[in-house]
């Protein structure tokens, strides 16, 4: 079963962790110096916050797939939406390995479709080569109102 994903940029991680822990009546599943993540079951949401990147508010939205078949279905939906699809393949982001792709809605909001793979990693993310993604891990420039097919170098963001 798929899980909705929301990633927010915050200014104060500690205050935000306290707020969302009370709001969700649960502590985060993972906490790092610049990141926290809740895996909620009711509603099924992967909710992440980080201080990485610029600004505050929504960084990107997404849908987390449980298996390859669900991810392939999400990719087909993204392609059917008649928007440019950025396929990152296997990558490291948000202290995890994942297989992912991105599509940007008509308003410029980035949507991430991903499957988390086995094995946590000790780093927030890995920059992608300019030739592959033209942006840093995770969010393509589209999350900042730049269409996916336009270069967004130097954003430094990660999911």
């Amino acid at each position: 079963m798929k899980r909705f994903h929301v990633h927010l940029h915050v200014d104060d991680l500690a205050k935000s962790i306290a707020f969302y822990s009370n709001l969700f009546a649960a502590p985060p599943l993972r906490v790092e110096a610049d990141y926290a993540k809740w895996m909620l079951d009711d509603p099924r949401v992967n909710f992440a916050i980080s201080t990485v990147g610029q600004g505050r508010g929504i960084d990107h939205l997404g849908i987390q797939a449980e298996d390859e078949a669900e991810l392939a279905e999400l990719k087909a939906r993204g392609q059917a939406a008649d928007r440019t699809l950025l396929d990152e393949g296997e990558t490291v982001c948000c202290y995890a390995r994942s297989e992912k792709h991105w599509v940007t809605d008509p308003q410029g909001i980035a949507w991430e479709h991903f499957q988390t793979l086995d094995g946590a990693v000790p780093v927030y993310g890995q920059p992608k080569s300019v030739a592959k993604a033209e942006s840093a891990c995770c969010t393509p420039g589209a999350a900042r109102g730049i269409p996916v097919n336009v270069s967004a170098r130097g954003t430094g963001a990660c999911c």
Side-chain angles (χ1 to χ4, degrees):
M1 178 183 295
K2 297 172 200 74
R3 184 181 296 265
F4 190 70
H5 172 57
V6 177
H7 186 117
L8 303 179
H9 282 287
V10 298
D11 290 332
D12 188 317
L13 191 66
K15 284 182 182 178
S16 296
I17 288 172
F19 173 79
Y20 289 112
S21 292
N22 284 319
L23 186 68
F24 301 144
L29 177 69
R30 181 161 189 161
V31 177
E32 300 292 341
D34 54 359
Y35 175 84
K37 176 175 75 175
W38 289 258
M39 294 293 280
L40 306 172
D41 288 324
D42 185 17
R44 279 185 59 82
V45 176
N46 170 337
F47 185 85
I49 59 176
S50 72
T51 57
V52 177
Q54 299 175 349
R56 323 179 270 212
I58 294 175
D59 179 71
H60 64 274
L61 302 173
I63 300 174
Q64 182 176 6
E66 285 191 20
D67 57 40
E68 290 177 31
E70 284 185 352
L71 188 60
E73 175 191 348
L74 291 168
K75 187 173 187 177
R77 289 181 190 179
Q79 291 168 327
D82 199 28
R83 304 288 296 175
T84 301
L85 188 121
L86 173 65
D87 191 343
E88 284 194 81
E90 189 173 320
T91 189
V92 172
C93 191
C94 301
Y95 299 96
R97 288 183 335 103
S98 63
E99 178 84 20
K100 68 175 68 183
H101 58 268
W102 297 87
V103 65
T104 305
D105 78 6
Q107 286 74 289
I109 297 172
W111 280 82
E112 173 189 32
H113 294 156
F114 66 102
Q115 177 190 2
T116 301
L117 306 173
D118 291 333
V121 294
V123 294
Y124 191 68
Q126 67 186 21
K128 298 308 236 173
S129 69
V130 172
K132 184 167 183 184
E134 301 236 6
S135 68
C137 162
C138 281
T139 309
R144 287 160 191 83
I146 303 167
V148 171
N149 58 356
V150 175
S151 177
R153 293 181 207 183
T155 62
C158 185
C159 69

